[in-house]
Amino acid sequence: MTKNLRVKSSEYIDETNRISFKFNGKTYHGFKGDTLASALLANDVHLVGRSFKYHRPRGIMTSGSEEPNAIVQVNPGTNRTEPNVRATEVEIYEGLEASSQNCWPSVEFDIGGINNFLSPFFPAGFYYKTFMWPASFWEKYEFFIRHSAGLGKSPTSSDPDIYDHRNVHCDVLVVGAGISGILAAKYAAKNNFKTLIVDEKNELGGSTIFENNEFNKIDNKTPSEWLKKEIEELKGIKNLEIKTRTSVAAYHQYNYLLARENLTDHLETKDKTNKIRQRLLKIRAKKVILATGALERPLIFNNNDRPGIMLSSAIKRYSEFYGVACGSKNIFFTNNDSAYESALSLYNKGIHVEAVIDIRDQSESKIVKKVEEAGIKIYWSHTIVDTAGYKRLNSVSIMKLSNDGTSVTGSKISISCDCLGVAGGWTPAVHLYTQSGSKLKFDEEKQIFLPNQNTSEQISVGSCGGDFKIDEIIKNLNQKLKDKLNIKETNLDNIKVEIDQENSKRNIWLLPSDIPLGKTKPFVDFQNDATAKDIKLALREGFRSIEHVKRYTTTGMGTDQGKLGNMHALGIIADTAGVKMGELGTTTFRPPYTPLTFGTIVGRNVGKFFDIFRKTPMNDWHVENKAEFENVGQWKRAWYYPINGENMHQAVQRESKAARESAGILDASTLGKIDIQGSDASEFLNRIYTNAWSKLAIGKCRYGLMLNEDGMVYDDGVTTRLGENHYLMTTTTGGAANVLGKLEDYLQTEWPELDVYLTSVTDHYATASLCGPNSKKILKKIISNLDLSDESFPHMSFKEAKIGNIQCRIMRISFTGEHSYEINVQASYGKDLWEKCMEAGKEFNITPYGTETMHLLRAEKGFIIVGQDTDGTMTPIDLQMDWIISKKKYDFIGKRSLYRSDTMREDRKQLVGLLTDDPNIVLEEGAQIVSELNQNPVEMLGHVTSSYFSPNLNKSIALAVVRGGKDMMGKKLFVPMENKNINVTIANPVFYDEKNERLNA
Amino acid sequence: MFLINCPYCGERDQQEFKAGGEAHIERPKQPTELSDDEWAEYLFMRKNIKGVQFERWNHAHGCRKWFNMVRDTSNDEIKAIYKMGEKPPSQ
Ligand SMILES: [Zn+2]
């Protein structure tokens, strides 16, 4: 039976609502309002995990999001399981289960604990040093490291919860709802600023809400009483939104902040269903008021990590807020007055405090006197030199500290205890402040980093701004609000504050022991098991930059980003290296402040919304007819249409033959389409394409190649002149958006004098490409009144027509080398058009074909695909397309670059055809081409860009880029593969119908 | 995440915009008259300043207009925004 350490009812704990939960398989009880940490402590459970490297037993250290040790797996084995959750932040509910991480087989008996005894062999940089070589051993090392590491388990089935994103705009965002945040929000909202205040906890009030120190008074009330009234008032103010359980994860430039609002994590499982679990708030605030408070520092001494050693402020919160005693025999260890508040809080609740160990030699404050009067022994000028107790602290050893604080003297006193509260002073929580790009300055007197140079409209108030005493907080807050928000007067002007607290503090970053440092374990980063020893070792090994020491020792690199120990790491480095803290600088705090779930980050963009696809108007038909799809840019395109169990090769061979022998139909709707209008449209095309456009007659089409300014092929497509000042350009499917962007760029920035307007019409038209010797007959059946004779409607021309009442644009153009038509209708008629073509083509065995057949058919003709046969390093000359470069035009984009010495090199890679000596071997795209097999290293001449088995030629064909290939016609080369060398011959890239006779067939 | 004041639309989130590199590099009017070195200077050479830099931006997912921005690349402070063709503010 475990002890019950519930001491006194607290207004934040509902003792009428008893909750049972499981931790490491054992059932415990707590109350509504408890966190997992407070409920475990109430059951006298301190041991909750094992440390990362040495697997040392670790307990709950804090009461908030800075917790380094009490990291648990919530609801293990379920699809809602979550690793790396801080027990100090989990609100318990009926049925909650949690388990320790980083231990096997159990937290009580952990195999990895052997590392603790092997620790002399695990110094800083151990992993770097040991696992570096031989490289071939890495797989074994990785297996070992992964099995002994194990920071939690990720869920194995999909997340049942809903996540959400919301954009929030406000005048003032207040981060943190302690005393300063509450007052800031109150006056901001009252002065007509639309205000949002967020706090990561479920209750407002920060630590002042349980500040019952009788020596501190605001308007003659205890700070706790006074603040409660303020909070009551806050709830009625319009213009003000309050969000609890909301943690700001990131503070980016221009006052853009990301916050995670937790909506259901505290609810019972049955109440979580169909609700939004977490919401990411994307906040744009005109002004930000940071009231993020301060984190208590631990003290760094030998064996300072045992379960039962906690922050003094956490002990106070557990006692005052949760009504839980963390131990029955308590000791405090401090360098300032705040431990005495915790001691008194326990004393007032009847919990035994054995002693206070203070490294200072005295303090004059009333609270210290009060502790003395209570009969609690104070050891002045003493330090802890060691602690004992493996799974729970059972005693501490203390010695007298030398005057300079570097050594200990006298005899050792051992004091038994089961809980030790350490108080090392306070570190302003400036994490968000620095994330915003603002700069800190080190205050040598207070030994803290403080906000110095703000980069955006923001202020830091309260203890995160360096004000720790209530009178200072209120006075400075009042002034900052008046300055920043232009407020004339506030009720804070005449407020009466009495305080009792001495500033006196003695800062020693690493406390000495009678045992040599090499044999001690003074932990600096509890989560990553980095000790003061490791930091000193890093310095001895030559590391100087704080960022390097951090990475080498892994200090501050855990999921808690070293919130507790970073300052000590800096202090130890500064002391050892003999430099000032201010000169050392800090490490960078990176978002998120506390870890975010993947669910929160992706929000609703999961499943089919993860990456949105574009579909053509004919898509349903393709689906109904069992097409296989491929992704092209954002589009889903029909790839091939298998029938009777065909594989891809069989389907493509059939489709390719049908298109050449009778009729094929392709959904070409995805091609980019840009409508170009204006009196300078022809001139514009002259400048952007390599060929000439002015003389293109109305109703005619022309193929164009577009270059980058560096002379490399960028895009291609057919453009049709619809009218005197009206063109319709087509682009590649993937290039549409970029081409439009590029054209706009030139129009707006280089040639604003041109009268040209560009409109993307890609989505406005559906396009069916009808091809093959019977395409004309099929089109005739659909549109009987159109003259399709070669005289009236020749290759590379355009006609407007009507199919029934549907207006359509028909281009007689061909990407396959066959007689073909591209029929464009308004997108909404796309499927109708397609079905009409299929119906009319039935008697000709019309065959739908997909992108794979399209690629094969064009390869038979040697037509390039930009992005497949080109890669951003190919000029039109490299492609042997010299014919498309106008010799007459003075200028076009990329022209000058075609005459650079590099682009004129004879030995550039050039596009050629490639035939295998064995016609049945199909080359692999991307395969390398060489001329010598016995060279070492072998010289690569080029590679295969397109390769297919052509059913129409009954042999394999390929396109390739080969160095100097233009002049190598007929040359024998090799394609070396893993198991064989393939003999190939350079050929004309036009493999089929070289004379283009089929266009008019 | 910048808040960018598009001269045509007003303040919008950075994700609506595309950066377009250094500003005020005019395309030569007569490229064919230039030597390889002169053309390479236009084509490849950019300053990439740490500090105040003049750059082009495009409201790609908005009005599609290009405009100029003066930005301190060391702290991302946007010092000025002005339309294409307008005189840059003096430094
Ligand atoms: Zn705009």
Side-chain angles (χ1 to χ4, degrees):
Chain A
M1 189 65 209
T2 51
K3 270 191 283 186
N4 183 358
L5 290 166
R6 195 68 65 171
V7 285
K8 193 180 158 199
S9 60
S10 152
E11 61 188 290
Y12 302 102
I13 296 295
D14 179 3
E15 291 197 32
T16 63
N17 195 344
R18 192 161 177 265
I19 287 169
S20 63
F21 65 97
K22 274 187 183 168
F23 182 66
N24 284 337
K26 195 174 163 193
T27 302
Y28 296 94
H29 297 284
F31 298 116
K32 184 87 197 149
D34 263 326
T35 61
L36 180 57
S38 70
L40 286 172
L41 290 168
N43 287 281
D44 204 24
V45 176
H46 275 257
L47 173 61
V48 288
R50 292 276 178 159
S51 71
F52 181 61
K53 203 157 81 180
Y54 304 129
H55 288 247
R56 280 169 70 101
R58 290 283 165 80
I60 298 157
M61 266 199 92
T62 74
S63 57
S65 59
E66 71 271 34
E67 176 62 39
N69 286 343
I71 308 293
V72 299
Q73 179 100 25
V74 172
N75 294 320
T78 71
N79 54 1
R80 279 200 169 90
T81 192
E82 190 181 342
N84 299 327
V85 180
R86 292 152 300 284
T88 49
E89 291 198 299
V90 178
E91 293 175 49
I92 62 164
Y93 51 84
E94 190 62 41
L96 169 74
E97 287 191 36
S99 64
S100 299
Q101 294 182 177
N102 202 27
C103 55
W104 186 84
S106 79
V107 70
E108 295 285 337
F109 176 76
D110 174 37
I111 293 272
I114 193 93
N115 286 1
N116 185 32
F117 304 105
L118 295 176
S119 69
F121 306 110
F122 282 83
F126 171 76
Y127 289 86
Y128 297 123
K129 288 169 181 161
T130 311
F131 299 120
M132 283 299 287
W133 46 264
S136 57
F137 268 43
W138 176 246
E139 271 176 45
K140 291 187 180 69
Y141 292 151
E142 193 183 6
F143 178 85
F144 166 74
I145 291 170
R146 287 199 188 285
H147 276 73
S148 47
L151 284 175
K153 288 191 177 63
S154 46
T156 50
S157 52
S158 69
D159 190 332
D161 282 316
I162 306 166
Y163 299 82
D164 196 27
H165 285 184
R166 181 182 286 173
N167 288 302
V168 178
H169 297 266
C170 57
D171 295 325
V172 175
L173 170 70
V174 182
V175 185
I179 180 169
S180 1
I182 283 165
L183 294 175
K186 171 179 162 182
Y187 290 106
K190 278 196 160 182
N191 285 278
N192 292 322
F193 292 98
K194 190 184 163 208
T195 304
L196 169 65
I197 181 170
V198 300
D199 194 281
E200 59 185 6
K201 291 221 165 3
N202 59 343
E203 291 283 348
L204 303 178
S207 58
T208 312
I209 201 69
F210 53 86
E211 176 58 69
N212 296 314
N213 179 350
E214 60 195 282
F215 303 113
N216 293 341
K217 290 276 163 67
I218 308 174
D219 279 344
N220 296 319
K221 296 192 182 73
T222 65
S224 156
E225 279 177 278
W226 183 82
L227 191 58
K228 273 174 205 158
K229 265 188 52 207
E230 291 289 322
I231 291 172
E232 266 326 295
E233 199 188 327
L234 203 65
K235 287 175 179 162
I237 302 175
K238 65 174 180 19
N239 262 340
L240 178 68
E241 194 179 354
I242 302 168
K243 282 192 182 292
T244 52
R245 299 187 176 103
T246 302
S247 161
V248 173
Y251 186 168
H252 296 292
Q253 301 144 318
Y254 293 83
N255 280 350
Y256 180 67
L257 297 93
L258 299 173
R260 187 250 296 118
E261 185 181 12
N262 225 331
L263 298 159
T264 65
D265 276 0
H266 59 292
L267 301 179
E268 277 182 49
T269 305
K270 65 178 168 58
D271 297 325
K272 292 185 205 277
T273 329
N274 294 326
K275 289 193 184 119
I276 292 166
R277 178 190 171 202
Q278 291 172 341
R279 178 182 281 139
L280 188 72
L281 304 176
K282 302 172 175 180
I283 309 169
R284 278 275 184 202
K286 294 212 173 83
K287 294 173 203 290
V288 172
I289 299 178
L290 292 174
T292 46
L295 302 174
E296 189 166 44
R297 293 178 188 171
L299 290 165
I300 312 301
F301 53 96
N302 184 23
N303 287 320
N304 59 343
D305 67 325
R306 301 195 186 280
I309 301 181
M310 305 175 70
L311 293 181
S312 147
S313 59
I315 293 176
K316 181 175 164 193
R317 179 182 276 271
Y318 286 119
S319 138
E320 295 282 345
F321 191 88
Y322 298 103
V324 172
C326 296
S328 35
K329 202 173 179 195
N330 297 278
I331 292 183
F332 288 91
F333 182 28
T334 186
N335 68 2
N336 70 95
D337 272 359
S338 49
Y340 294 85
E341 289 184 18
S342 307
L344 210 52
S345 162
L346 297 190
Y347 173 80
N348 289 339
K349 288 188 156 56
I351 306 161
H352 179 69
V353 179
E354 178 75 18
V356 178
I357 299 146
D358 199 323
I359 67 171
R360 302 175 297 177
D361 52 12
Q362 61 159 351
S363 170
E364 294 298 323
S365 54
K366 291 180 198 159
I367 193 158
V368 174
K369 293 268 168 330
K370 177 96 183 178
V371 167
E372 264 175 341
E373 282 162 26
I376 298 169
K377 168 89 178 147
I378 302 174
Y379 293 90
W380 295 107
S381 300
H382 271 73
T383 184
I384 296 182
V385 294
D386 202 358
T387 65
Y390 185 58
K391 285 187 246 171
R392 176 73 182 267
L393 178 75
N394 59 34
S395 73
V396 301
S397 305
I398 67 170
M399 284 176 84
K400 188 127 172 90
L401 197 55
S402 67
N403 285 340
D404 65 358
T406 60
S407 59
V408 285
T409 58
S411 55
K412 209 186 287 191
I413 307 165
S414 178
I415 313 168
S416 73
C417 59
D418 62 356
C419 183
L420 173 70
V422 290
W426 296 85
T427 300
V430 292
H431 309 72
L432 293 176
Y433 177 80
T434 57
Q435 278 183 24
S436 75
S438 296
K439 298 276 180 286
L440 300 170
K441 195 176 118 190
F442 191 70
D443 184 321
E444 294 286 349
E445 191 205 315
K446 292 183 179 169
Q447 293 280 296
I448 52 178
F449 281 100
L450 285 177
N452 186 40
Q453 255 183 309
N454 300 353
T455 52
S456 60
E457 284 286 313
Q458 57 169 303
I459 42 173
S460 293
V461 299
S463 55
C464 73
D467 297 328
F468 297 104
K469 293 192 281 184
I470 290 175
D471 57 338
E472 284 172 1
I473 290 173
I474 291 178
K475 189 177 119 231
N476 292 334
L477 169 78
N478 195 18
Q479 196 55 49
K480 283 177 182 170
L481 289 179
K482 286 178 177 178
D483 294 346
K484 200 71 189 173
L485 303 180
N486 260 326
I487 296 171
K488 295 231 160 40
E489 56 182 321
T490 70
N491 298 346
L492 301 175
D493 290 337
N494 303 312
I495 207 157
K496 223 178 89 211
V497 184
E498 290 167 44
I499 64 130
D500 160 63
Q501 210 172 20
E502 266 209 5
N503 269 335
S504 116
K505 178 181 163 186
R506 184 179 187 192
N507 206 61
I508 299 173
W509 294 117
L510 172 59
L511 291 156
S513 171
D514 57 326
I515 308 163
L517 179 70
K519 297 207 162 128
T520 63
K521 283 225 176 59
F523 286 92
V524 174
D525 182 318
F526 297 87
Q527 195 174 96
N528 271 352
D529 267 358
T531 67
K533 224 166 36 181
D534 294 324
I535 292 169
K536 289 190 173 238
L537 176 68
L539 289 165
R540 272 208 308 280
E541 293 188 357
F543 291 90
R544 285 295 172 268
S545 149
I546 170 69
E547 293 288 353
H548 291 159
V549 174
K550 165 178 161 177
R551 279 160 184 76
Y552 192 57
T553 61
T554 70
T555 304
M557 293 186 60
T559 58
D560 62 339
Q561 292 193 40
K563 291 186 182 78
L564 294 187
N566 271 341
M567 285 300 291
H568 306 81
L570 288 171
I572 292 166
I573 294 170
D575 285 353
T576 311
V579 295
K580 285 197 162 167
M581 294 274 283
E583 293 161 17
L584 210 55
T586 57
T587 57
T588 317
F589 299 111
R590 291 195 173 80
Y593 180 67
T594 47
L596 290 175
T597 59
F598 283 118
T600 311
I601 295 167
V602 296
R604 305 221 176 220
N605 300 322
V606 290
K608 63 178 177 179
F609 299 114
F610 179 67
D611 192 9
I612 304 288
F613 282 111
R614 297 170 79 180
K615 290 172 184 168
T616 75
M618 291 82 137
N619 187 71
D620 287 352
W621 192 94
H622 306 323
V623 173
E624 284 158 24
N625 288 273
K626 310 277 188 299
E628 291 292 331
F629 288 85
E630 76 165 332
N631 302 334
V632 183
Q634 290 174 305
W635 292 97
K636 280 269 178 219
R637 291 198 74 176
W639 195 8
Y640 58 95
Y641 300 81
I643 50 173
N644 303 328
E646 284 173 326
N647 62 23
M648 174 160 142
H649 176 73
Q650 292 162 332
V652 169
Q653 296 289 307
R654 172 181 52 75
E655 290 171 12
S656 302
K657 252 175 120 61
R660 294 224 188 272
E661 285 170 3
S662 177
I665 183 167
L666 171 83
D667 181 355
S669 307
T670 62
L671 281 186
K673 295 177 273 291
I674 301 171
D675 184 275
I676 303 174
Q677 299 191 39
S679 56
D680 294 317
S682 302
E683 171 60 17
F684 181 63
L685 292 176
N686 273 333
R687 296 186 192 187
I688 59 163
Y689 278 129
T690 61
N691 47 353
W693 291 80
S694 310
K695 291 192 181 129
L696 183 69
I698 295 170
K700 298 288 182 195
C701 316
R702 182 165 288 172
Y703 174 76
L705 205 56
M706 204 182 283
L707 310 185
N708 261 329
E709 206 65 277
D710 61 8
M712 305 303 158
V713 171
Y714 182 69
D715 204 80
D716 69 345
V718 170
T719 293
T720 303
R721 189 166 197 172
L722 301 175
E724 177 62 27
N725 297 321
H726 192 186
Y727 291 85
L728 181 67
M729 171 189 282
T730 60
T731 73
T732 59
T733 295
N738 288 336
V739 169
L740 180 68
K742 179 182 157 95
L743 301 188
E744 279 286 2
D745 187 353
Y746 275 92
L747 259 187
Q748 290 178 35
T749 68
E750 298 292 352
W751 311 317
E753 72 280 5
L754 293 185
D755 176 42
V756 176
Y757 300 90
L758 306 173
T759 311
S760 168
V761 292
T762 304
D763 290 316
H764 302 50
Y765 294 98
T767 309
S769 178
L770 201 53
C771 102
N774 285 318
S775 58
K776 190 184 202 169
K777 290 178 201 151
I778 296 169
L779 186 63
K780 189 78 197 168
K781 279 176 74 180
I782 304 170
I783 315 172
S784 52
N785 58 356
L786 191 67
D787 183 355
L788 295 179
S789 67
D790 285 346
E791 295 71 41
S792 162
F793 197 2
H795 180 57
M796 297 307 272
S797 68
F798 148 83
K799 271 187 189 299
E800 295 222 44
K802 274 191 166 180
I803 304 174
N805 287 325
I806 308 166
Q807 195 71 33
C808 61
R809 288 169 169 171
I810 306 172
M811 281 84 173
R812 191 176 155 193
I813 52 177
S814 175
F815 193 39
T816 59
E818 296 298 317
H819 188 129
S820 26
Y821 301 93
E822 283 194 1
I823 312 164
N824 294 275
V825 293
Q826 224 182 77
S828 48
Y829 295 112
K831 194 170 171 227
D832 191 44
L833 167 70
W834 184 273
E835 281 164 348
K836 278 203 167 67
C837 291
M838 288 305 295
E839 181 59 35
K842 216 177 224 167
E843 58 175 298
F844 304 102
N845 186 29
I846 189 171
T847 302
Y849 67 91
T851 50
E852 193 61 24
T853 292
M854 174 188 81
H855 286 181
L856 192 161
L857 294 173
R858 65 87 208 179
E860 290 178 337
K861 288 293 296 171
F863 295 149
I864 59 155
I865 289 186
V866 173
Q868 176 161 346
D869 303 298
T870 73
D871 60 1
T873 66
M874 301 295 287
T875 70
I877 301 156
D878 298 338
L879 295 171
Q880 305 214 49
M881 290 173 79
D882 312 47
W883 54 270
I884 205 168
I885 304 166
S886 163
K887 302 281 180 295
K888 289 183 196 142
K889 285 198 296 184
Y890 179 72
D891 191 16
F892 57 81
I893 295 173
K895 173 165 180 166
R896 176 62 187 82
S897 291
L898 298 179
Y899 304 96
R900 289 179 62 237
S901 56
D902 182 57
T903 46
M904 284 166 70
R905 272 191 297 117
E906 293 288 320
D907 64 344
R908 289 179 64 82
K909 283 186 183 173
Q910 290 144 356
L911 186 81
V912 292
L914 210 57
L915 290 173
T916 48
D917 291 2
D918 177 348
N920 289 315
I921 297 178
V922 180
L923 295 170
E924 273 187 39
E925 290 175 357
Q928 296 289 320
I929 300 162
V930 302
S931 62
E932 298 286 334
L933 284 172
N934 299 320
Q935 237 178 351
N936 196 7
V938 65
E939 186 190 6
M940 303 295 180
L941 288 182
H943 64 274
V944 178
T945 59
S946 295
S947 176
Y948 306 92
F949 187 83
S950 160
N952 298 301
L953 296 161
N954 203 27
K955 64 178 182 186
S956 81
I957 55 166
L959 298 175
V961 291
V962 175
R963 200 176 298 156
K966 216 192 300 195
D967 299 322
M968 290 167 76
M969 190 62 74
K971 188 159 165 92
K972 300 272 184 194
L973 298 169
F974 306 99
V975 172
M977 298 302 290
E978 204 173 2
N979 306 318
K980 61 186 171 190
N981 296 307
I982 303 167
N983 297 331
V984 295
T985 307
I986 296 214
N988 181 344
V990 184
F991 299 102
Y992 187 79
D993 184 28
E994 208 174 320
K995 292 183 178 143
N996 292 327
E997 287 162 344
R998 300 189 61 84
L999 286 172
N1000 294 315
Chain B
M1 199 71 92
F2 306 170
L3 191 61
I4 297 173
N5 194 2
C6 170
Y8 304 93
C9 308
E11 287 191 332
R12 296 288 192 279
D13 192 280
Q14 184 185 346
Q15 66 183 8
E16 294 183 17
F17 297 85
K18 223 172 109 175
E22 193 177 330
H24 304 298
I25 296 173
E26 200 182 341
R27 187 175 188 272
K29 288 274 183 291
Q30 299 177 313
T32 46
E33 319 274 298
L34 301 182
S35 69
D36 267 13
D37 284 352
E38 287 166 328
W39 180 247
E41 184 68 28
Y42 159 71
L43 196 57
F44 301 121
M45 304 314 279
R46 298 294 182 268
K47 293 200 197 84
N48 195 19
I49 294 164
K50 181 180 181 183
V52 176
Q53 174 163 286
F54 291 70
E55 356 181 273
R56 296 151 19 96
W57 283 74
N58 181 225
H59 196 182
H61 300 281
C63 64
R64 283 185 11 212
K65 285 284 197 184
W66 284 87
F67 56 89
N68 293 310
M69 179 190 287
V70 187
R71 179 173 69 102
D72 188 332
T73 59
S74 67
N75 61 10
D76 286 329
E77 185 191 344
I78 298 171
K79 294 182 171 291
I81 280 175
Y82 54 102
K83 292 179 183 174
M84 281 294 159
E86 286 180 356
K87 271 220 160 62
S90 55
Q91 269 181 292

